[in-house]
Amino acid sequence: MRVAVLGATGATGRLLVDELVRRGHTVVALTRAPDPAGPEAVTWVAGDARDPGALSALVDGADAVVSALGPRRGDGTLHREVAPLLVTALREAGVRRFVGVSGAGVDVPGDRKSRRDRVVSALLQRLGGQTVRDKALERETWAASDLDWTLVRAPRLVDGPPTGRVEHSAGCSPRRTSIPRADLAAFLADLAGRPDYLRQAPLVAGR
Ligand SMILES: NC(=O)c1ccc[n+]([C@@H]2O[C@H](COP(=O)([O-])OP(=O)(O)OC[C@H]3O[C@@H](n4cnc5c(N)ncnc54)[C@H](OP(=O)(O)O)[C@@H]3O)[C@@H](O)[C@H]2O)c1
């Protein structure tokens, strides 16, 4: 597959790119860096995620788009602003599949979160500033689109080696409250090539 990646220079995105290349996919990735580090096989598209022209160039000819985009320096409107631009870019390019990273603090209609996670989500929504709100608005944009989106609701991300095991569910809380970034990256790569959790926001955690 040809997979377009956003957030490819981030902590999760770098692992995602490595994983996609390892699986033999052609990877095209957006970057703001003049000289980004990454596997030689990656084709870099220069630009900001808020630039519609850069997004069009990125997704042109892609089979799937995967985002590990995340806010830098308190950017509390990144996701709500980029999501509609991405929806437009995907529709214009005729690309249907989008997989992104959301947060476990986001609530979705039909959720059956545990009491523990309901409390944590309520606290995050109240005290977490713009970030949780931003991801909720991002989800609403994708939900209003007719595309094949999946937003993976991740808990606390941790570094370290992959375990190779991810617990996931459409709306039930996983047992653990963290996930290694490497396992999240592998799960995102799985979803890029599979029609699982279409138009859903699964909760995930490491095992
Ligand atoms: N940290 C946690 O515990 C946690 C928990 C749940 C969910 N998440 C979410 O998981 C995702 C990945 O997190 P992470 O820690 O791996 O991310 P990260 O290291 O902060 O990386 C963020 C990526 O987004 C890119 N980016 C930000 N603004 C951009 C813009 N305007 N244009 C183009 N690229 C832009 C950055 O590019 P530059 O290198 O150019 O800055 C970088 O590649 C994020 O959405 C985060 O909110 C995190």
Side-chain angles (χ1 to χ4, degrees):
M1 292 196 312
R2 182 181 175 91
V3 184
V5 178
L6 293 100
T9 53
T12 305
R14 285 196 300 270
L15 300 172
L16 170 65
V17 166
D18 289 347
E19 183 66 20
L20 290 167
V21 169
R22 198 184 61 74
R23 294 183 188 199
H25 299 306
T26 298
V27 177
V28 185
L30 185 72
T31 182
R32 302 187 289 186
D35 190 14
E40 257 182 38
V42 175
T43 301
W44 294 96
V45 171
D48 193 283
R50 287 183 170 94
D51 175 358
L55 294 182
S56 296
L58 176 73
V59 307
D60 184 41
D63 297 297
V65 177
V66 186
S67 174
L69 198 66
R72 296 286 205 197
R73 289 174 292 277
D75 181 352
T77 60
L78 178 70
H79 295 296
R80 79 189 71 178
E81 289 178 9
V82 171
L85 301 177
L86 266 178
V87 168
T88 301
L90 264 71
R91 295 200 74 205
E92 286 178 358
V95 181
R96 291 206 56 81
R97 187 70 172 128
F98 173 80
V99 180
V101 182
S102 183
V106 173
D107 287 334
V108 170
D111 269 354
R112 284 157 293 142
K113 284 182 177 176
S114 65
R115 183 175 160 72
R116 174 200 72 192
D117 283 1
R118 287 201 307 275
V119 170
V120 172
S121 296
L123 282 172
L124 281 172
Q125 288 164 24
R126 220 169 128 194
L127 308 172
Q130 284 295 313
T131 317
V132 177
R133 177 90 186 118
D134 197 34
K135 290 197 184 297
L137 292 171
E138 173 191 39
R139 195 199 69 83
E140 287 176 17
T141 297
W142 285 106
S145 82
D146 57 357
L147 298 172
D148 294 338
W149 59 273
T150 304
L151 285 171
V152 177
R153 284 184 287 168
R156 187 169 55 90
L157 306 182
V158 294
D159 294 320
T163 64
R165 294 180 301 168
V166 175
E167 187 180 354
H168 50 89
S169 159
C172 291
S173 296
R175 277 161 297 174
R176 292 188 180 249
T177 54
S178 67
I179 185 169
R181 284 186 166 91
D183 286 327
L184 175 60
F187 189 63
L188 296 171
D190 287 348
L191 288 176
R194 275 197 220 145
D196 291 353
Y197 291 116
L198 290 186
R199 307 180 58 73
Q200 289 183 297
L203 291 160
V204 299
R207 273 187 156 165

